[in-house]
Amino acid sequence: MKINDVIFSLQNEVEQLTTLSVEANDTLFFSTLKEGKWSIAEHLTHLALSLLPVNNLLKQPELMLERWGKSNRKSRELVVFLEDYKMAVATADWKAFPPFVPKSATESNDYLQQHSTTSEDKKNDFYQLTGETIKGLRDKFELDTNATKAEVANKLGQQYQLFFQLVSNLSDEHLEACQIPLPYVGLITCKEMIYFTYNHTKVHRMAIERDWL
């Protein structure tokens, strides 16, 4: 699949997410009544948290090259990348890394532990690439008790809009050469990050439909 086709498919997933958000009433949107399941609001906040550091890096291709060097390989095709990602998480518990777990003002003391991976080696590998600052990411989009559906949806929409703008500004050379750290996997190219973002969005959209609709 060509990269423009992947971006188009991602845009379609974002549109579906937007529709789900609009159609869900406030009670359903914030509901946490299903044990072990994220609410719709938590899914959207997780996606926004995942995009925020990526967008910050996409603004600075030269910084990516400085920090992690130029990729020494060609980007994998979408199907190959997704198979490799699946294999990378096969021996783990396939939960979010702590910085990407949505934070709520009313969360229980064990919420973060319950919803984040227990793969210490994988977390340490990721932090060695990113540095310690990313550990404070959860505070950026905290779900407080006064949060509204529109606010949560708008924060996510802004991150996707920025993502689409930034990837369109990157040259083909930068898409292939610049690298970004991805949990469980390590360094991937910017083109592969587009693949991941498409699949990640789709997975969470399907989880919302399965668990809440």
Side-chain angles (χ1 to χ4, degrees):
M1 185 182 291
K2 294 181 179 179
I3 192 64
N4 287 340
D5 293 330
V6 178
I7 292 172
F8 179 80
S9 296
L10 172 57
Q11 290 171 331
N12 183 56
E13 288 295 334
V14 175
E15 289 175 4
Q16 290 184 68
L17 269 180
T18 302
T19 300
L20 293 177
S21 301
V22 170
E23 292 179 349
N25 61 45
D26 286 359
T27 300
L28 177 62
F29 188 81
F30 290 101
S31 175
T32 57
L33 294 180
K34 294 187 178 181
E35 185 175 356
K37 304 292 185 182
W38 277 347
S39 67
I40 299 174
E42 288 169 323
H43 277 287
L44 269 56
T45 301
H46 165 71
L47 290 170
L49 287 170
S50 299
L51 282 169
L52 180 59
V54 172
N55 284 338
N56 287 339
L57 289 170
L58 293 177
K59 296 174 185 176
Q60 308 171 82
E62 298 306 321
L63 175 62
M64 288 187 278
L65 292 171
E66 179 184 331
R67 291 189 66 178
W68 300 297
K70 183 177 179 180
S71 175
N72 60 4
R73 61 173 178 79
K74 184 177 175 62
S75 295
R76 289 160 284 191
E77 294 297 323
L78 173 63
V79 174
V80 176
F81 171 77
L82 294 180
E83 282 298 319
D84 288 348
Y85 180 74
K86 184 177 179 179
M87 288 177 61
V89 301
T91 57
D93 49 10
W94 212 336
K95 291 184 178 180
F97 278 29
F100 307 106
V101 175
K103 185 175 183 179
S104 170
T106 59
E107 70 184 30
S108 62
N109 292 333
D110 65 346
Y111 176 86
L112 180 59
Q113 181 179 2
Q114 179 185 355
H115 290 279
S116 59
T117 183
T118 58
S119 302
E120 293 298 327
D121 290 344
K122 295 288 187 180
K123 286 191 288 187
N124 290 335
D125 289 345
F126 182 66
Y127 295 143
Q128 284 181 2
L129 289 170
T130 63
E132 298 291 312
T133 304
I134 199 168
K135 292 183 177 181
L137 185 66
R138 294 185 76 216
D139 296 329
K140 299 292 185 181
F141 293 141
E142 181 175 346
L143 286 166
D144 61 41
T145 53
N146 296 318
T148 66
K149 185 175 72 170
E151 288 171 347
V152 175
N154 286 341
K155 285 178 181 178
L156 179 60
Q158 289 167 4
Q159 291 301 317
Y160 276 117
Q161 184 177 13
L162 181 57
F163 180 82
F164 289 128
Q165 176 187 335
L166 291 170
V167 296
S168 69
N169 290 339
L170 287 177
S171 66
D172 291 341
E173 180 181 356
H174 279 144
L175 285 174
E176 288 286 354
C178 296
Q179 302 182 97
I180 297 180
L182 180 68
Y184 293 111
V185 177
L187 291 173
I188 64 173
T189 68
C190 286
K191 181 179 284 188
E192 291 169 341
M193 181 56 75
I194 297 173
Y195 298 160
F196 171 78
T197 303
Y198 159 64
N199 185 68
H200 191 216
T201 304
K202 180 179 179 180
V203 166
H204 282 275
R205 187 264 301 165
M206 293 173 65
I208 291 171
E209 291 180 336
R210 180 191 66 233
D211 296 334
W212 295 105
L213 302 177

